[in-house]
Amino acid sequence: MQIRVKGCFMITIFIDNKPFQIKEGQNLLQACLSLGFDLPYFCWHPAMHSVGACRQCAVKLFKDDKDTRGRIVMSCMTPVAEGMRLSIDDPDAKAFRASVIEWLMLNHPHDCPVCDEGGECHLQDMTVMTGHTYRRTRFKKRTHRNQYLGPFINHEMNRCIQCYRCVRFYRDYAGGRDFNVFSCHDSVYFGRHEEGVLESEFSGNLVEVCPTGVFTDKTFKQHYTRKWDLQTAPSVCVHCGIGCNTIAGERYGTLRRILNRYNHEVNGYFLCDRGRFGYEFVNSGKRIRKALIKQDSGKEQKPAEKADALKQVGDILSNSKGVIGIGSPRASLESNFALRTLVGADNFYSGMSPQDHRLVSLAIDILQKGPARTPSLHDVEMADAVLVLGEDLTNTAPILALALRRSVRNQPVESVAKKRIPAWDDNAVRHMVQNEKGPLYIAAITSTRLDDIAAKTFHADPADIASLGFAIAQELNPQAPTPPLPSGERTEVRGNANADIMPLVREIAAALKNAKRPLIVSGTGCQSEAVIQSAANIAWALCSSGKPAELCYAVHECNTMGLGLMNGKSLEELFKPSIREEGRNEGAETVIILENDLYRRADEKIVDEFLGRAKHVIVLDHLINPTSSKGELTLPAGTFAESNGTLVNNEGRAQRFYQVFAPDHDIQESWKWIRDILAQSGRSGAVEWKDLDTITAAMAAALPVFKPVLDIAPNADFRISGQKVPRQPHRYSGRTAMLANITVHEPKPPESLDSPLSFSMEGYEGQPPAPLIPRYWSPGWNSVQALNKFQQEVGGPLKGGDPGKGLIEPKQDARPAYFSFKPSPSGQGEEQALPRYRIFGSEEMSMYSPSIVIASNYFNKS
Ligand code: SF4
Ligand code: SF4
Ligand code: FES
């Protein structure tokens, strides 16, 4: 009997004669895995669905309770149905699965001891699960030649089991074109048509998508450690404003790798290559590990003891007439708040470039005061008509671009569903859909990597992009102001220069109006307030007609939105010409700069002058850079891997990241340095910040917008059965011998006062709350596919809900006044310098990672 639960019909099926309630509309494999059964599979992937290629997921299906013979079916290709009876334990089904794994393993090299996948390999797990223990054949195995695929991915084709997941991800899911499957006789080959750097920005996902060791992480290979020897913690990517969830792993004080951490609402199963491979700045030789002090007259910074550095800072602050603090969009909320507390709200500057400061404040204002909701990435995937205004998303917010590739499938797949083809039957859906795509319109300065899936593209300068946006808003609601139409000379619609723009305006307006879930994406990418305003006008025009329009702004850094919500002052006030000419320093006798290279925010001359006017410059940062090398005092700040803290992504979602390992030398979180400085200078409040929870509580009390941060993760005193959650897996090896070259006594593990995670292998081994999951593991499931056991249903939210809480709520009934179009200050015919972002090359921290530098040199040659 069908029952309706939370909008879904539940049906009853019988597995090995036991009844189970499951959601209708799925396939049998997904249902069995969601129910917790161990059923082996290879080619099926929850994000890429079923193709029935590997034959590993066989079960026996019976017509009814009288049928004793049954028939073998592939569970991933069989839709569930009310009253269905199947057996996983049936001897025929088991024998079938055993024979499938045996033939898949015929040519497999069995080189697990030297394979980087060993110990976390889906093929190993499935082989054990299926009971294939002994090899019964002896012959010369088929071998392949491996390819050089660039700085990120290692290729070892002999390990391939022909599941086709890689090519389906690379081409069908991520839109890559330079990777394919090639075959000749009985040989099937997955790679490029010739050796060369993989061109997709998402190539790193092959590491997790491939169930064997064909594609492995080349950067991890440089400092390889088995999975069970990695100390891991839940983290958040710091390389753009999207905030993908990651698992970061360390051994011997070196950060070894980044893996995807599933968040149904954010990045799902995937990361971009900048996020996956940009981590090596943590291990850079340019790291600041001790406080650095510049001697009176000398220019050289010399290492100093922590106590001496703190004393010197204390002396400087007590004798300074004015102290200002410059925050950072790449530092945590807590560190920015600590600096704001130290210098006072009136002396706290956001640290973004003046233009970014204006744009981010505008975007936040629009999202807070307007009726349009800012979507999660999962919501972006569900959109059925999208307009991108002014952003080259693959370079500014890569995973958002990947989500848009999913969104263009929604309209065609909906029409396929009417023909009773299930959405999970990937091959059938692709055959039906062919090249049909839902409407995606892109207006950008230049061509973008998403143009291949766009219905129409419009290439123009920001002023014309904005006027296109204003015109669409006006078409949707005549009350929206009328802009001057883009000039024909400067615009191009899909290669058609001088095209009349009004048909495009009407087409986009109609597509958005007819959609169920229209989405407008814009951002700070083309540095135009008018573009951001035009996006708001369109979303508001849709909302005024009762459409649940969504409005998404891409921002550049991992805490841009968080810093924006902190309301710091703009650097413009410090950099403006009048101040510079008069040599005034606006109370900035002492300047404290938090994790920020100011030379990336303004011209060298302006920053030189500004720093030159300050009597004392104190810098907290991770690496030696043009700003930190100018500090009279430079303090070693922990990176994301050495810190606990909170970041707010472009959607306004506050997310917690945890220390992966205790740093060496004097490195500590910036907020702890500032706490120590406050204590040194005898200021009140400092001693109350004994841990992350107390500073977070102080922040929420001082700035109510951050109140939801208190609920994003369990407090440090959280325990399960009286135990902490161990960062080290239960098979962690060499604990007593790791430092035997220094001491034969096992040192006491560092204390972890800021979180419920311990630096130990002892603790609660079951499943912790979602924000605390340090790795995916379950008995019999050692690969990343163990994630299935952590989800409410396979492919759905994590048990207990996905991590993170939104800080920005739309005012659904608000009807704010439309923005009026202000003509661009630069007149027609004048040249404009516009930023061009690169996924490899534009972001500061990832450019300290050797593999990203190689990719940047390769891709940005022109
Ligand atoms: S390379 Fe990996 S993902 Fe691709 S077909 Fe072979 S086993 Fe499957
Ligand atoms: S999209 Fe952004 S947040 Fe996500 S992995 Fe890439 S750089 Fe990191
Ligand atoms: S998982 Fe079902 S055939 Fe491959």
Side-chain angles (χ1 to χ4, degrees):
M1 193 185 78
Q2 285 191 339
I3 314 167
R4 204 178 164 88
V5 177
K6 287 189 191 162
C8 295
F9 280 110
M10 302 296 284
I11 55 174
T12 305
I13 63 168
F14 296 85
I15 303 176
D16 288 310
N17 295 321
K18 290 204 189 88
F20 293 92
Q21 292 275 308
I22 56 159
K23 249 204 246 170
E24 70 163 8
Q26 28 180 349
N27 61 64
L28 263 184
L29 174 62
Q30 191 173 8
C32 291
L33 293 172
S34 294
L35 289 169
F37 286 98
D38 288 342
L39 183 55
Y41 64 92
F42 289 114
C43 65
W44 177 80
H45 187 287
M48 295 185 282
H49 308 306
S50 310
V51 285
C54 71
R55 323 310 281 169
Q56 187 58 71
C57 62
V59 293
K60 194 176 254 189
L61 194 62
F62 300 93
K63 270 198 292 210
D64 49 38
D65 54 354
K66 298 194 183 59
D67 179 6
T68 51
R69 205 157 155 220
R71 65 192 166 100
I72 298 286
V73 296
M74 294 308 119
S75 59
C76 72
M77 297 301 292
T78 309
V80 294
E82 174 66 30
M84 188 175 237
R85 307 187 84 89
L86 68 136
S87 170
I88 296 173
D89 286 342
D90 179 87
D92 292 344
K94 280 173 136 175
F96 186 97
R97 297 197 296 261
S99 67
V100 169
I101 199 104
E102 185 169 24
W103 78 57
L104 288 178
M105 294 296 277
L106 279 182
N107 282 293
H108 188 79
H110 290 80
D111 58 344
C112 307
V114 295
C115 175
D116 288 2
E117 196 85 349
E120 53 179 329
C121 175
H122 187 59
L123 179 60
Q124 281 181 330
D125 287 349
M126 298 302 102
T127 308
V128 173
M129 188 181 290
T130 316
H132 171 59
T133 319
Y134 294 104
R135 187 175 172 79
R136 295 188 293 167
T137 50
R138 281 185 84 81
F139 63 91
K140 197 167 172 195
K141 292 179 189 178
R142 182 183 55 214
T143 55
H144 299 276
R145 186 176 293 185
N146 301 321
Q147 291 183 320
Y148 168 78
L149 296 176
F152 301 141
I153 301 292
N154 208 58
H155 192 212
E156 181 53 63
M157 244 317 278
N158 293 342
R159 298 178 185 141
C160 178
I161 55 162
Q162 295 86 39
C163 72
Y164 286 74
R165 268 184 172 195
C166 53
V167 73
R168 291 178 59 225
F169 170 76
Y170 199 95
R171 293 181 71 88
D172 301 344
Y173 194 101
R177 284 287 160 263
D178 62 314
F179 180 95
N180 217 329
V181 50
F182 307 89
S183 67
C184 181
H185 304 294
D186 65 342
S187 189
V188 184
Y189 191 89
F190 296 84
R192 283 172 52 94
H193 70 287
E194 61 181 9
E195 286 205 324
V197 181
L198 287 170
E199 285 167 12
S200 169
E201 300 77 10
F202 306 101
S203 67
N205 295 300
L206 294 178
V207 171
E208 294 187 49
V209 159
C210 176
T212 83
V214 177
F215 300 106
T216 50
D217 180 339
K218 206 179 247 184
T219 67
F220 186 34
K221 209 175 191 55
Q222 317 292 319
H223 36 224
Y224 185 72
T225 296
R226 289 288 181 203
K227 174 185 181 174
W228 61 78
D229 284 340
L230 282 173
Q231 177 166 269
T232 49
S235 194
V236 174
C237 177
V238 294
H239 299 295
C240 86
I242 297 289
C244 293
N245 291 199
T246 59
I247 291 173
E250 171 269 1
R251 182 137 170 118
Y252 280 120
T254 307
L255 193 64
R256 306 288 171 124
R257 74 162 173 197
I258 296 290
L259 279 187
N260 178 67
R261 179 166 63 103
Y262 180 86
N263 185 323
H264 185 62
E265 288 300 321
V266 188
N267 48 306
Y269 289 87
F270 304 116
L271 296 176
C272 81
D273 288 355
R274 187 205 274 173
R276 188 181 294 272
F277 302 113
Y279 68 93
E280 285 197 272
F281 75 91
V282 174
N283 308 324
S284 168
K286 292 197 169 167
R287 282 301 301 277
I288 305 163
R289 296 189 180 275
K290 299 269 300 172
L292 301 171
I293 298 183
K294 241 181 210 176
Q295 302 308 330
D296 291 344
S297 51
K299 289 203 168 144
E300 204 189 331
Q301 292 176 315
K302 296 245 169 72
E305 291 309 315
K306 182 176 176 184
D308 296 340
L310 282 172
K311 180 169 180 320
Q312 190 158 331
V313 179
D315 291 346
I316 291 172
L317 294 188
S318 20
N319 296 320
S320 280
K321 290 211 189 84
V323 183
I324 61 163
I326 299 180
S328 171
R330 66 168 162 86
S332 68
L333 279 184
E334 289 79 5
S335 292
N336 277 297
F337 172 71
L339 181 61
R340 185 181 179 275
T341 308
L342 173 68
V343 299
D346 287 346
N347 299 315
F348 178 69
Y349 292 79
S350 80
M352 291 183 248
S353 74
Q355 180 67 353
D356 275 348
H357 184 95
R358 265 195 301 278
L359 297 172
V360 171
S361 306
L362 174 64
I364 290 176
D365 206 47
I366 287 169
L367 293 176
Q368 282 181 325
K369 297 189 180 145
R373 202 170 72 88
T374 174
S376 69
L377 275 190
H378 179 67
D379 298 329
V380 169
E381 285 189 11
M382 305 311 288
D384 56 353
V386 183
L387 169 63
V388 178
L389 277 173
E391 282 293 310
D392 176 2
L393 291 171
T394 311
N395 286 302
T396 58
I399 282 285
L400 181 51
L402 192 63
L404 289 185
R405 282 196 180 272
R406 300 308 293 163
S407 75
V408 296
R409 284 169 50 94
N410 287 330
Q411 279 202 12
V413 169
E414 214 166 90
S415 60
V416 168
K418 289 187 189 130
K419 298 191 171 76
R420 301 175 69 87
I421 293 176
W424 50 258
D425 189 344
D426 196 47
N427 208 25
V429 169
R430 275 179 201 287
H431 269 88
M432 289 295 295
V433 168
Q434 297 287 330
N435 288 328
E436 212 185 305
K437 290 179 188 72
L440 165 66
Y441 295 93
I442 301 176
I445 300 169
T446 58
S447 58
T448 74
R449 299 268 283 173
L450 283 179
D451 288 2
D452 63 317
I453 51 163
K456 292 261 169 67
T457 58
F458 173 81
H459 298 147
D461 70 16
D464 283 353
I465 292 171
S467 60
L468 174 81
F470 275 93
I472 295 167
Q474 217 258 342
E475 180 73 18
L476 286 164
N477 185 340
Q479 284 169 3
T482 314
L485 280 184
S487 104
E489 280 170 42
R490 288 185 289 163
T491 58
E492 190 188 330
V493 184
R494 265 265 202 249
N496 180 6
N498 304 323
D500 175 10
I501 215 66
M502 271 324 283
L504 179 65
V505 168
R506 287 187 205 106
E507 183 181 327
I508 298 175
L512 294 172
K513 204 173 183 169
N514 294 332
K516 288 191 203 126
R517 296 174 299 274
L519 167 68
I520 322 300
V521 182
S522 187
T524 56
C526 68
Q527 297 278 289
S528 162
E529 278 162 279
V531 169
I532 288 178
Q533 290 168 341
S534 71
N537 272 13
I538 298 172
W540 293 348
L542 285 163
C543 288
S544 70
S545 63
K547 282 266 160 205
E550 295 188 325
L551 178 58
C552 173
Y553 288 119
V555 293
H556 288 153
E557 289 170 81
C558 58
N559 201 22
T560 300
M561 278 294 187
L563 186 64
L565 289 167
M566 215 167 263
N567 277 329
K569 289 159 83 173
S570 167
L571 285 179
E572 194 164 21
E573 294 181 31
L574 298 177
F575 290 167
K576 62 189 169 198
S578 58
I579 292 179
R580 286 162 42 211
E581 279 155 22
E582 291 165 27
R584 287 194 282 129
N585 63 9
E586 288 296 285
E589 187 172 300
T590 296
V591 181
I592 305 178
I593 302 165
L594 172 71
E595 300 179 28
N596 202 336
D597 179 8
L598 295 183
Y599 290 90
R600 293 178 64 87
R601 314 287 174 191
D603 286 349
E604 187 180 345
K605 189 160 165 278
I606 294 177
V607 180
D608 276 346
E609 279 177 9
F610 167 67
L611 294 178
R613 287 199 306 275
K615 202 163 154 196
H616 304 286
V617 175
I618 300 168
V619 182
L620 299 102
D621 214 336
H622 320 307
L623 293 137
I624 291 292
N625 61 37
T627 301
S628 60
S629 59
K630 289 226 160 62
E632 174 186 336
L633 255 141
T634 299
L635 304 174
T639 63
F640 74 93
E642 297 139 335
S643 308
N644 300 282
T646 311
L647 300 171
V648 182
N649 78 353
N650 71 315
E651 171 206 348
R653 176 184 291 260
Q655 304 189 100
R656 178 68 38 84
F657 61 95
Y658 288 100
Q659 206 174 32
V660 186
F661 62 104
D664 57 8
H665 299 97
D666 292 334
I667 294 171
Q668 60 179 353
E669 288 104 322
S670 291
W671 66 263
K672 285 189 180 159
W673 275 112
I674 295 168
R675 176 193 63 187
D676 294 347
I677 293 169
L678 278 161
Q680 180 77 29
S681 51
R683 308 237 193 144
S684 63
V687 280
E688 287 150 31
W689 299 347
K690 68 179 173 45
D691 57 21
L692 186 77
D693 292 335
T694 43
I695 185 170
T696 308
M699 179 175 71
L703 298 162
V705 68
F706 295 118
K707 267 202 180 131
V709 172
L710 298 176
D711 301 322
I712 58 174
N715 283 353
D717 55 8
F718 173 83
R719 299 288 182 274
I720 310 172
S721 307
Q723 300 175 87
K724 283 195 155 203
V725 177
R727 286 177 172 91
Q728 298 164 0
H730 59 295
R731 291 172 181 153
Y732 195 78
S733 66
R735 191 179 70 173
T736 51
M738 275 176 73
L739 298 169
N741 57 329
I742 300 166
T743 170
V744 289
H745 300 288
E746 186 182 347
K748 185 171 174 270
E751 279 189 87
S752 183
L753 300 174
D754 296 310
S755 77
L757 295 157
S758 71
F759 291 110
S760 165
M761 56 195 283
E762 281 93 24
Y764 181 72
E765 254 313 313
Q767 293 194 9
L772 297 178
I773 297 170
R775 75 195 75 81
Y776 298 117
W777 182 85
S778 185
W781 295 79
N782 298 288
S783 78
V784 290
Q785 322 273 334
L787 162 65
N788 293 341
K789 305 281 183 189
F790 290 73
Q791 293 163 318
Q792 292 172 24
E793 58 184 341
V794 175
L798 289 166
K799 287 178 184 164
D802 292 293
K805 275 213 177 308
L807 305 183
I808 300 176
E809 281 301 320
K811 303 242 170 341
Q812 271 163 2
D813 299 326
R815 291 290 171 264
Y818 287 104
F819 290 104
S820 302
F821 183 78
K822 294 194 194 83
S824 156
S826 69
Q828 198 170 341
E830 277 180 33
E831 287 197 356
Q832 265 182 288
L834 296 170
R836 181 117 196 239
Y837 297 93
R838 305 282 192 185
I839 179 169
F840 308 122
S842 296
E843 195 270 330
E844 183 184 358
M845 288 295 116
S846 59
M847 284 306 283
Y848 290 91
S849 302
S851 60
I852 299 283
V853 173
I854 296 171
S856 166
N857 291 340
Y858 178 82
F859 288 113
N860 305 333
K861 279 187 293 227
S862 54

